[in-house]
Amino acid sequence: HECMLPAGTAAGAFPKCGELIDTVRQGWKMGDENQQNELILGGVNGSCPTIMRYLNTSWGLTAPPADRSCPMPLPPALPARRVNATSFSVLALGDWGPTPKGGCSVCGKDQCHFTAFANKKRHPEYCKNFDYHDWAQQHTADAMREYAARHPVEAVLNAGDNFYFGGLSTPGNYRRNIQADVSPSYAFETAYHDVYQLKTNKTLQVPWLGVFGNHDYGGAGCQSDWQSQIDFTYSDPTKTWTMPWQYFKQSIEGQDGVTLDVFMMEANRDDCCSRGHHGICYQALCPAYGLKASIQNCETRSWAIEQRALEWLESELAASTARWKVVVGHFPFGSNYQKIVTLMLAHGASLYVGGHKHVLQYGFPESKGWKTKVPTLVTGAGGGIMNENAPDTYGFYAIEVSKDRLQITRVGDPKKGRLPAREYPVLYSTPAEWVDQASNLTLAGQLMEIVHPSAAQ
């Protein structure tokens, strides 16, 4: 029970596991700084589940399950969220977490891009024409609260890149003042609580279901203490931060058969192993004074966690009896995404929500130029980093769930530019873009309506 193992797991199938757990735990407590850093980068926090995950994904990458050094723990099972209504809304947001105060000292020519941030005006003076991007995260959060005040929200689907540029700092890098990283207090208090979880406005005090983005693993910086984001699930005083594992499921149950299973998925493997500016494992922007980690160990874990997550997703999608199935992952393209989409098609999932690209886009199987087989939202304009299509607005998606339809609206803040043009045709005719005068929110009408197969017959 403590190790979150699948039912029926036989200890005899993993004869070396107990000894290896003791060895890792000893290294985590008593090892030198480099050894401890490697364990932290592998997600170890001293607990049985994190050590077993580390062992499972660090050795025996291509071995069959029975030959792996330890079994893979299961994600914690979350209680269903029950709604006393026949419809409800969830919001989708990504790429919202700000760069630390003072910017990213190792980002070189990209300094302006990476400090395009957040909830304060603190960009370098040499960044020209930057006023449009100031306070982007805060304005988006204000728009979310205003929308939620009129449309009660049951959850936020957080598509990752929660803390730019390099995620949460490891203890060793924190001592070295690696400015690409952020401290836990800055991340969770300044960037999360102070922006979204205001005591005076509780409309967004709902579960924030989160996945990791490539920057949460360190981006091209020195890699990060990503397990601390999981740990905050159990210490968040608002009890809203919900990220109990790298992948997990949340069920939301309404009245009259309205049920939604949300599968929060690990989807960063396509960014793990390049040798360029975006490779997590290569750590191109990790300065000489940082604790640059083993590239090989990182790549092995990345490939292994993709495999384990896909195994889990296939099993959970097959077992789900929910009327609606939605998958959330950071990457909305690439081979990892395509593997996820294949499983979605096999098991009747209706929508994929991703981020990574700092835009608000959407696509579906008939979209020209969009290589997807399922309806896909890209919600990467949350305000943590510069919108790639300025002066398009920063914003989010609202998804209204009813028995027969998912109705999806793109929402932005008129103080932060215009909504992007409809680069792809909508699934049905919609009103023109309009401004809700009561709330000053810029809405794009229902950009996409997904009709349940049983209702379309």
Side-chain angles (χ1 to χ4, degrees):
H1 176 73
E2 175 196 358
C3 294
M4 305 189 320
L5 295 180
T9 301
F14 304 92
K16 299 180 180 179
C17 187
E19 180 181 346
L20 289 169
I21 288 175
D22 291 340
T23 299
V24 171
R25 184 171 281 138
Q26 185 71 11
W28 183 74
K29 291 180 178 178
M30 305 295 293
D32 62 27
E33 185 177 55
N34 286 317
Q35 183 181 14
Q36 289 180 338
N37 195 62
E38 284 291 338
L39 292 174
I40 290 171
L41 299 180
V44 173
N45 69 0
S47 68
C48 178
T50 65
I51 294 175
M52 295 187 82
R53 177 186 57 199
Y54 170 80
L55 291 168
N56 183 278
T57 57
S58 295
W59 289 314
L61 173 60
T62 59
D67 292 340
R68 296 169 188 165
S69 56
C70 284
M72 186 67 167
L74 290 172
L78 300 180
R81 185 171 176 84
R82 291 181 169 82
V83 182
N84 188 26
T86 57
S87 66
F88 54 85
S89 293
V90 296
L91 305 183
L93 177 74
D95 301 74
W96 53 269
T99 302
K101 184 176 182 180
C104 175
S105 62
V106 300
C107 294
K109 64 181 180 180
D110 291 315
Q111 175 81 344
C112 297
H113 180 67
F114 289 136
T115 56
F117 52 96
N119 54 339
K120 288 191 164 88
K121 181 175 181 177
R122 51 173 178 263
H123 63 266
E125 292 303 319
Y126 58 80
C127 296
K128 305 299 183 183
N129 302 319
F130 213 73
D131 290 345
Y132 164 76
H133 302 284
D134 280 334
W135 297 83
Q137 183 200 12
Q138 186 65 64
H139 282 298
T140 302
D142 293 343
M144 292 172 68
R145 275 193 295 272
E146 198 157 357
Y147 186 92
R150 297 180 296 113
H151 306 275
V153 169
E154 293 301 322
V156 174
L157 310 182
N158 169 19
D161 275 0
N162 308 320
F163 306 115
Y164 286 99
F165 169 72
L168 300 184
S169 186
T170 64
N173 283 330
Y174 186 78
R175 286 192 291 271
R176 288 164 172 78
N177 193 30
I178 305 299
Q179 293 184 9
D181 305 339
V182 297
S183 68
S185 60
Y186 178 87
F188 295 120
E189 294 303 322
T190 302
Y192 178 62
H193 282 158
D194 291 353
V195 179
Y196 303 103
Q197 304 299 329
L198 301 180
K199 295 179 181 179
T200 56
N201 188 324
K202 298 184 179 182
T203 56
L204 295 181
Q205 289 194 1
V206 296
W208 279 61
L209 311 176
V211 296
F212 289 95
N214 54 298
H215 286 275
D216 297 308
Y217 288 112
C222 299
Q223 298 189 34
S224 74
D225 182 6
W226 50 269
Q227 174 62 33
S228 287
Q229 292 198 43
I230 293 176
D231 294 341
F232 190 64
T233 299
Y234 305 101
S235 60
D236 177 15
T238 68
K239 301 187 184 303
T240 55
W241 188 264
T242 306
M243 187 189 284
W245 202 244
Q246 288 166 284
Y247 47 88
F248 62 96
K249 183 186 81 171
Q250 175 69 69
S251 297
I252 304 177
E253 301 175 354
Q255 300 294 309
D256 192 28
V258 182
T259 54
L260 169 66
D261 276 353
V262 182
F263 302 87
M264 306 300 293
M265 188 62 179
E266 168 58 35
N268 290 284
R269 201 270 305 153
D270 284 307
D271 212 23
C272 79
C273 306
S274 71
R275 292 296 188 264
H277 191 63
H278 248 281
I280 297 170
C281 298
Y282 190 55
Q283 307 156 81
L285 298 180
C286 184
Y289 55 86
L291 283 173
K292 194 163 186 176
S294 166
I295 295 173
Q296 181 179 354
N297 290 352
C298 173
E299 291 180 348
T300 297
R301 286 193 300 268
S302 297
W303 284 89
I305 199 65
E306 177 196 37
Q307 180 179 328
R308 308 301 184 260
L310 289 169
E311 292 168 358
W312 169 85
L313 181 64
E314 182 172 26
S315 174
E316 290 295 323
L317 283 173
S320 173
T321 60
R323 188 165 180 83
W324 295 105
K325 304 175 188 180
V326 172
V327 178
V328 181
H330 185 61
F331 268 68
F333 53 83
S335 63
N336 196 172
Y337 163 76
Q338 294 297 340
K339 292 173 185 177
I340 293 171
V341 165
T342 298
L343 295 178
M344 293 175 65
L345 289 170
H347 298 288
S350 299
L351 177 67
Y352 182 91
V353 177
H356 191 66
K357 293 181 66 178
H358 309 136
V359 295
L360 292 174
Q361 290 180 336
Y362 63 99
F364 54 94
E366 290 78 23
S367 299
K368 292 182 180 179
W370 189 286
K371 296 180 180 179
T372 183
K373 296 180 180 179
V374 299
T376 297
L377 303 180
V378 181
T379 182
I385 199 164
M386 185 184 293
N387 190 318
E388 295 176 18
N389 289 342
D392 288 353
T393 188
Y394 293 92
F396 60 95
Y397 284 98
I399 306 169
E400 184 176 349
V401 183
S402 62
K403 185 174 182 180
D404 293 333
R405 287 171 173 78
L406 298 180
Q407 294 179 322
I408 300 165
T409 302
R410 188 161 48 187
V411 185
D413 181 349
K415 294 187 289 295
K416 285 297 171 189
R418 59 177 174 79
L419 280 167
R422 291 195 178 91
E423 64 279 10
Y424 302 105
V426 293
L427 290 185
Y428 77 123
S429 60
T430 61
E433 182 179 306
W434 54 285
V435 176
D436 184 343
Q437 299 297 333
S439 66
N440 292 322
L441 296 177
T442 302
L443 307 175
Q446 290 169 355
L447 282 166
M448 187 185 295
E449 181 177 72
I450 302 173
V451 180
H452 195 275
S454 66
Q457 297 174 354

